[in-house]
Amino acid sequence: MKIFLDTANIEEIRKASELGVVDGVTTNPSLIAKEGRRFEDVVKEICSIVDGPISAETVTEMADTMVEEAVRLSKIHPNIVVKIPMTAEGLKAVSECRKRGIKTNVTLIFSANQALLAAKAGANYVSPFVGRLDDNTEYGMDLVERIVSIFHNYVYDTEVIVASVRNPIHVLEAAQMGADIATVPYSVLMQMLKHPLTDIGIQKFLSDWKKVPKE
Ligand code: G3P
């Protein structure tokens, strides 16, 4: 399974990419807003750090203006994937982008039928938001299971990005279900990496090593 980082924070992206486990980055307008910098500048810098798909989101609501944004964003770097919200106008924009060879990630997916329509329109990625479903007392990972099994039944090249990830169990279940990608906040990546028994084990090895005669 590929792991993307769900952040626009350059420091986090640098630190995580040094680990050699980051295959791409997803951003959204809320994540960009946190950085207090120009959108294009942030996206360009991310592309210079991670050599993989980098999602940058449109912020208009009509298909024609979304396509204009998509054309502009896709010129920033060949790795740009244009994130487009799951609406009727969004689907129109996705199918136009597909014709123009612009990669898209359909975001704010909360049902399997939405994912099916996005795939049919030609989306390269769909992003089911599992954490926000959990917040709404719906089991978010059920949606991922459905989408993965639907895509398995047919020949779509659309990849499933498990998004709105809140904890390592989301990532573990995504991998068990065969989702293509989980996009994770930096904090979740660190939670995945750490285990208290590893830390205790290291301390024990290091203290025992001190007892080994060195000459
Ligand atoms: O990037 C989209 C998604 O991952 C947002 O997550 O935590 O704001 O629901 P969250």
Side-chain angles (χ1 to χ4, degrees):
M1 185 177 69
K2 285 172 267 187
I3 293 181
F4 289 3
L5 214 55
D6 194 29
T7 181
N9 184 277
I10 297 298
E11 205 190 322
E12 288 182 347
I13 294 168
R14 268 191 212 291
K15 282 196 278 181
S17 69
E18 281 169 7
L19 303 176
V21 297
V22 177
D23 302 295
V25 176
T26 52
T27 67
N28 62 39
S30 309
L31 293 171
I32 295 283
K34 278 192 206 166
E35 300 309 308
R37 296 173 58 201
R38 280 186 66 245
F39 179 33
E40 272 86 359
D41 293 345
V42 177
V43 170
K44 240 183 233 165
E45 198 167 351
I46 297 172
C47 291
S48 74
I49 301 168
V50 175
D51 185 18
I54 312 295
S55 285
E57 192 157 338
T58 57
V59 286
T60 57
E61 292 184 83
M62 300 308 291
D64 53 353
T65 54
M66 283 184 202
V67 172
E68 279 169 25
E69 284 187 80
V71 169
R72 190 166 42 77
L73 290 170
S74 66
K75 283 183 185 150
I76 294 178
H77 193 278
N79 285 345
I80 291 290
V81 174
V82 180
K83 218 168 172 188
I84 294 181
M86 177 61 216
T87 60
E89 290 296 313
L91 288 186
K92 280 193 235 171
V94 167
S95 63
E96 182 56 31
C97 284
R98 183 77 184 201
K99 284 181 207 144
R100 297 182 187 213
I102 297 171
K103 291 209 165 127
T104 57
N105 169 5
V106 175
T107 188
L108 292 165
I109 296 274
F110 291 100
S111 80
N113 279 336
Q114 288 181 321
L116 179 61
L117 292 176
K120 287 188 68 68
N124 300 86
Y125 302 92
V126 288
S127 291
F129 275 33
V130 297
R132 292 192 196 183
L133 280 170
D134 289 351
D135 294 344
N136 203 43
T137 331
E138 289 174 68
Y139 185 50
M141 291 309 296
D142 275 352
L143 173 59
V144 173
E145 195 162 37
R146 282 205 185 99
I147 298 171
V148 168
S149 84
I150 290 168
F151 286 5
H152 185 75
N153 289 343
Y154 304 98
V155 195
Y156 294 115
D157 61 3
T158 311
E159 293 185 68
V160 179
I161 304 181
V162 178
S164 186
V165 163
R166 299 280 162 77
N167 56 59
I169 295 176
H170 281 149
V171 185
L172 177 66
E173 291 185 348
Q176 286 175 319
M177 288 172 187
D180 303 282
I181 302 144
T183 187
V184 305
Y186 182 76
S187 58
V188 172
L189 187 66
M190 290 303 110
Q191 287 175 312
M192 289 166 66
L193 186 158
K194 285 269 176 193
H195 196 290
L197 290 178
T198 306
D199 297 339
I200 291 167
I202 290 169
Q203 286 318 312
K204 173 87 176 113
F205 285 153
L206 291 179
S207 67
D208 286 346
W209 180 246
K210 287 188 184 140
K211 299 174 199 157
V212 177
K214 303 296 180 309
E215 312 239 333

